[in-house]
Amino acid sequence: MSSQDARGRFLRSSGAAIFSQAWRVLVTFGVHLVLKRLVPAGDWGLYEWAMPVFLILGAMRDLGLVYHVVRVKPRPYGNLLALELVWGGILVGLTFIGAPLLASAYSEAHPEILNVLRAMTVFLFFEGLSTVPRTYFEGELKIGRAVAPEIVRNLFMALVSVGLAVAGFDIWAVVVANVGAAVVYAVMLWWRAWGEIPLLYQRGQTLPLVRESLPLASIWFLTILVRYVDPLILGWRFDGPVVGNYAFAYQNAFRASEVIVPALTRALYPALVAFRAAAAKLFDAYALATLFMQSLEVPVAYFLFLNADMTLLILGGSQWVEAPTYLRILCFAPIIDPFSRLGGEVLKTEHMDRIWIICTVITLVTFVGGGIYLTGTMGPVGMAWINLLPLGAVLMAWALHRVAPAGFRTLTRQLLYIYLVPVPFFAAVWWIAGDRLWLRFGLSLVAVGISLAILWRRFGGDFFSFFRGKPEPAEASEGKP
């Protein structure tokens, strides 16, 4: 596709992806307002530990081919489907049989742990099936075609989970709803893609394709570990309520990221592939996505720091007494490393997979080693503190600088502007409100609004200039703070 066509598709797909993510988060937010009050913290702890286990297994199931097919011409979606059916089915069987071994990694002897793990194997299989049509829609920048299945999936999850929770099914309210939603989602995606998706199968090429995709498989596997190592370590060392409280804080610290990052990466990577022939345009697409993300996340982080207690009381009720302590630290984790959040998409496009792997390994080693040490000396709060030290970010920043030195310097100045603009407004809130929690909460919302308005006025023009195609973003942004 042409550069201008890629811009248009990127804009439309980004909008569809952000809408889908916003819908999912809003539905999940509303459902959790109920579930956090009905399902015990200990049951949440088991679920929040089990879900990362199956996300890691999902990375092992896909073997990176989900991402590799996007950069192969023609795209062998038939080989991807074969992998998900054959290897995915084998992995599901092994997981079902090995459930007792997995359960041994959880410190609390929860009576439902084996049944939960075995039920989640259904989730593992159908999530694999849904990756094929989803990858097709994303790779062709037709994400809007996947929005309706995602809406139905979240409605199903909401109705079933709340209904079962009200009926007193506790952890099964969450498990059954998510497993059933995965089945519904896979069926609907295939229904929409059938007859449209070219199921090209290259005989004898599945294993060579998997070998070529192994660097991406390693990256995704490591990324999942970095993102979810916290509940794995906490579940190994502490009981379910601790894991549940920490996970509740973590989810709210990254609430804005749940909307922005998955939505942007769904459209950003195919767009970067389209822009690959022009390094300036490629980096500008990454920079604009990063600025958009941080313009939202920075004010939210300051808001959560000032209002951790009130936020979690409103969202979850009174049983989450330990969570605010974690949230006041974790709220800064999403903004401590702005470059790596989407930087991997640039390195993936440039086939700099090895550098991305090294960056992720450095951060993972830091989180695992530091998490184990600090939780041993400080308790669960040590896991929150180590999230503020993602050491792989240094190498990631260097690699991005190599791709586009001038663009990287401009982006750094723009990010500094984003970090500083909200500070005086939130400092004023702290000074005016003091210990009056409701006043602080209300004034903080005003500070968020003012900050967003200023940042939109500064960067909104660059965003529209890029998608209109003139002037070029590199030229438009050069020399600005």
Side-chain angles (χ1 to χ4, degrees):
M1 68 185 79
S2 69
S3 176
Q4 187 60 37
D5 187 38
R7 283 190 182 97
R9 288 199 186 186
F10 179 36
L11 180 60
R12 290 190 298 272
S13 287
S14 296
I18 290 174
F19 172 79
S20 177
Q21 281 297 114
W23 165 262
R24 183 184 69 83
V25 172
L26 284 172
V27 171
T28 304
F29 174 80
V31 169
H32 280 196
L33 285 176
V34 178
L35 296 183
K36 292 294 184 181
R37 290 166 167 82
L38 296 176
V39 179
D43 281 3
W44 276 111
L46 173 58
Y47 176 77
E48 298 292 355
W49 171 85
M51 183 54 77
V53 169
F54 280 87
L55 292 175
I56 292 168
L57 289 169
M60 296 171 61
R61 176 201 63 215
D62 296 339
L63 295 175
L65 195 57
V66 170
Y67 305 100
H68 183 58
V69 295
V70 176
R71 59 187 190 184
V72 174
K73 298 292 184 179
R75 291 169 176 162
Y77 294 113
N79 295 80
L80 177 59
L81 177 59
L83 178 78
E84 298 293 350
L85 287 171
V86 178
W87 165 235
I90 293 172
L91 184 61
V92 164
L94 293 174
T95 304
F96 189 91
I97 296 169
L101 181 62
L102 288 176
S104 66
Y106 192 65
S107 65
E108 186 178 3
H110 195 288
E112 294 292 340
I113 187 169
L114 284 180
N115 292 329
V116 166
L117 292 174
R118 285 172 173 155
M120 290 290 289
T121 60
V122 179
F123 170 87
L124 180 65
F125 182 72
F126 279 91
E127 279 291 291
L129 288 184
S130 67
T131 61
V132 183
R134 189 180 70 238
T135 302
Y136 166 72
F137 289 135
E138 292 174 359
E140 300 299 324
L141 289 174
K142 298 179 179 179
I143 293 175
R145 299 275 292 147
V147 169
E150 291 167 359
I151 290 174
V152 173
R153 174 182 190 160
N154 287 289
L155 280 176
F156 179 94
M157 181 274 296
L159 294 173
V160 173
S161 61
V162 171
L164 292 177
V166 170
F169 283 90
D170 293 339
I171 190 171
W172 287 106
V174 187
V175 173
V176 171
N178 280 277
V179 171
V183 176
V184 169
Y185 180 57
V187 170
M188 287 199 65
L189 273 182
W190 274 107
W191 179 71
R192 300 213 78 179
W194 195 256
E196 177 181 344
I197 179 173
L199 290 174
L200 172 66
Y201 180 79
Q202 299 175 344
R203 187 179 297 274
Q205 291 302 304
T206 300
L207 289 179
L209 284 167
V210 168
R211 281 197 296 270
E212 292 172 6
S213 70
L214 284 179
L216 289 178
S218 302
I219 290 167
W220 181 235
F221 182 77
L222 292 168
T223 301
I224 288 289
L225 282 175
V226 168
R227 169 64 177 83
Y228 293 105
V229 71
D230 299 37
L232 298 180
I233 291 176
L234 293 172
W236 170 57
R237 305 199 77 158
F238 304 100
D239 60 15
V242 169
V243 181
N245 272 270
Y246 183 93
F248 187 39
Y250 193 100
Q251 290 161 1
N252 285 285
F254 284 85
R255 184 75 66 184
S257 302
E258 287 184 10
V259 180
I260 304 165
V261 176
L264 287 177
T265 54
R266 289 178 72 179
L268 181 61
Y269 177 47
L272 292 179
V273 171
F275 292 142
R276 192 179 173 210
K281 292 186 180 69
L282 183 151
F283 195 88
D284 284 332
Y286 156 76
L288 282 170
T290 299
L291 292 172
F292 175 73
M293 179 179 66
Q294 292 300 303
S295 292
L296 292 174
E297 288 192 318
V298 169
V300 169
Y302 297 161
F303 174 88
L304 291 175
F305 178 73
L306 292 186
N307 300 278
D309 293 277
M310 290 302 302
T311 299
L312 296 182
L313 179 64
I314 292 170
L315 297 181
S318 59
Q319 72 166 321
W320 307 98
V321 292
E322 300 172 15
T325 301
Y326 306 136
L327 182 57
R328 276 187 284 270
I329 302 167
L330 289 169
C331 65
F332 294 109
I335 65 173
I336 200 73
D337 173 24
F339 299 113
S340 298
R341 308 292 297 288
L342 300 173
E345 304 302 311
V346 176
L347 301 189
K348 183 165 59 175
T349 305
E350 294 291 300
H351 291 266
M352 299 168 68
D353 299 340
R354 186 171 300 176
I355 294 178
W356 192 9
I357 291 172
I358 295 171
C359 294
T360 312
V361 167
I362 292 172
T363 297
L364 178 61
V365 169
T366 304
F367 284 1
V368 172
I372 292 173
Y373 174 75
L374 291 180
T375 54
T377 57
M378 303 174 63
V381 74
M383 199 71 237
W385 281 112
I386 200 62
N387 273 266
L388 304 185
L389 196 65
L391 293 183
V394 178
L395 179 59
M396 175 66 75
W398 172 80
L400 291 170
H401 180 269
R402 285 183 57 195
V403 173
F408 182 85
R409 289 192 295 270
T410 299
L411 176 60
T412 302
R413 293 195 298 270
Q414 292 169 330
L415 286 170
L416 183 61
Y417 179 85
I418 290 172
Y419 281 65
L420 292 178
V421 161
V423 170
F425 304 113
F426 284 96
V429 169
W430 180 277
W431 180 70
I432 294 171
D435 294 331
R436 291 170 289 180
L437 298 184
W438 279 110
L439 178 61
R440 188 196 301 172
F441 188 89
L443 292 177
S444 295
L445 289 175
V446 175
V448 169
I450 295 172
S451 300
L452 291 176
I454 294 173
L455 294 174
W456 175 253
R457 182 175 182 180
R458 166 62 187 86
F459 296 110
D462 291 344
F463 182 82
F464 285 116
S465 294
F466 177 79
F467 290 109
R468 287 169 182 157
K470 56 182 184 181
E472 291 296 341
E475 298 169 356
S477 62
E478 193 68 37
K480 293 183 181 181

